[in-house]
Amino acid sequence: MRILFDQGTPVPLRNLLGSHHKVETAFERGWSTLKNSALLTAVQQEGFEVFVTTDRNLRYQVTPGSWTIAIVVLGSTSWPRIEKAATAVKQTIDAALPGSFKEVDIP
C-alpha cells in the first residue's frame, strides 16, 4: 500500500507500519508547501492509496467520498502518544478503503 505522510505526521510511525507499506512524506516529495486540496490532488494523481495527516481541521475542508484516496487523521502530533496508540493507527491504515475518511483518537 502506498502511503503519504503529511507535514506533522511523525516519521518514526513509518517503521511500525510494516514492510508491505511504502511510505513517503510530503517533504520527501517536495510537496511541503502545498495546501490541502492541492496536496490531496497531487497525492491522488501520483497513485498513493492512503494520506495520513494530523490536521484535525481537514474534516471541515474536504467532502468525504470526494477523493479516491483514503484519508486517516491522527488526533495528535506527539510521537510518544502516537507510538502508544500504534496498534489502532496501524489497524486503521490497514483497513482504509478508497474514499474513506477515518480519525484515530490518540489518548
Side-chain angles (χ1 to χ4, degrees):
M1 180 180 295
R2 286 190 70 205
I3 301 170
L4 186 91
F5 283 2
D6 192 10
Q7 297 289 101
T9 303
V11 176
L13 177 59
R14 169 188 282 171
N15 300 325
L16 299 179
L17 294 180
S19 61
H20 61 286
H21 294 300
K22 176 161 176 31
V23 179
E24 296 179 59
T25 69
F27 179 80
E28 291 166 346
R29 298 286 300 196
W31 296 343
S32 58
T33 59
L34 295 179
K35 298 299 175 198
N36 294 332
S37 130
L39 179 57
L40 289 172
T41 298
V43 170
Q44 187 167 273
Q45 287 176 343
E46 290 296 316
F48 286 92
E49 298 163 273
V50 180
F51 177 67
V52 181
T53 185
T54 57
D55 182 354
R56 295 171 74 184
N57 290 319
L58 190 62
R59 67 176 157 188
Y60 303 112
Q61 299 166 22
V62 299
T63 304
S66 62
W67 301 95
T68 58
I69 57 170
I71 299 172
V72 175
V73 179
L74 306 180
S76 174
T77 59
S78 167
W79 171 239
R81 291 174 57 199
I82 292 170
E83 185 176 29
K84 288 179 185 173
T87 300
V89 173
K90 184 177 182 325
Q91 288 173 344
T92 302
I93 291 172
D94 287 345
L97 298 173
S100 66
F101 186 96
K102 300 288 182 184
E103 294 186 50
V104 181
D105 185 37
I106 307 293

